[in-house]
Amino acid sequence: ETDLILTFNISMHRSWWMENGPGCMVTSVTPAPDWAPEDHRYITVSGCFLEYQYIEVAHSSLQIILA
């Protein structure tokens, strides 16, 4: 019933690369909407050189090759 097992309670199904990609600027949105869980940040991300989906694919491909 919880996402604790799949996400280790560190994200709301967001990619790590979404916030930490090359050139990405993360801006906290305050106040957070009422529906946002208390232990999660509500943010906007802009200025990324590559969309996080492309980085995820490259990262996964490299892991497959190395495996």
Side-chain angles (χ1 to χ4, degrees), residues 3 9 11-14 32-42:
D3 295 326
N9 206 28
S11 73
M12 293 212 30
H13 307 287
R14 280 198 309 243
D34 294 335
W35 54 264
E38 292 179 19
D39 59 341
H40 290 87
R41 298 186 305 154
Y42 191 67

Side-chain angles (χ1 to χ4, degrees), residues 15-37:
S15 167
W16 184 86
W17 288 109
M18 179 186 266
E19 297 179 34
N20 299 290
C24 293
M25 304 292 280
V26 177
T27 306
S28 293
V29 175
T30 52
D34 294 335
W35 54 264

Side-chain angles (χ1 to χ4, degrees), residues 1-13 37 40:
E1 294 181 14
T2 68
D3 295 326
L4 178 62
I5 294 172
L6 296 176
T7 65
F8 300 110
N9 206 28
I10 56 175
S11 73
M12 293 212 30
H13 307 287
H40 290 87

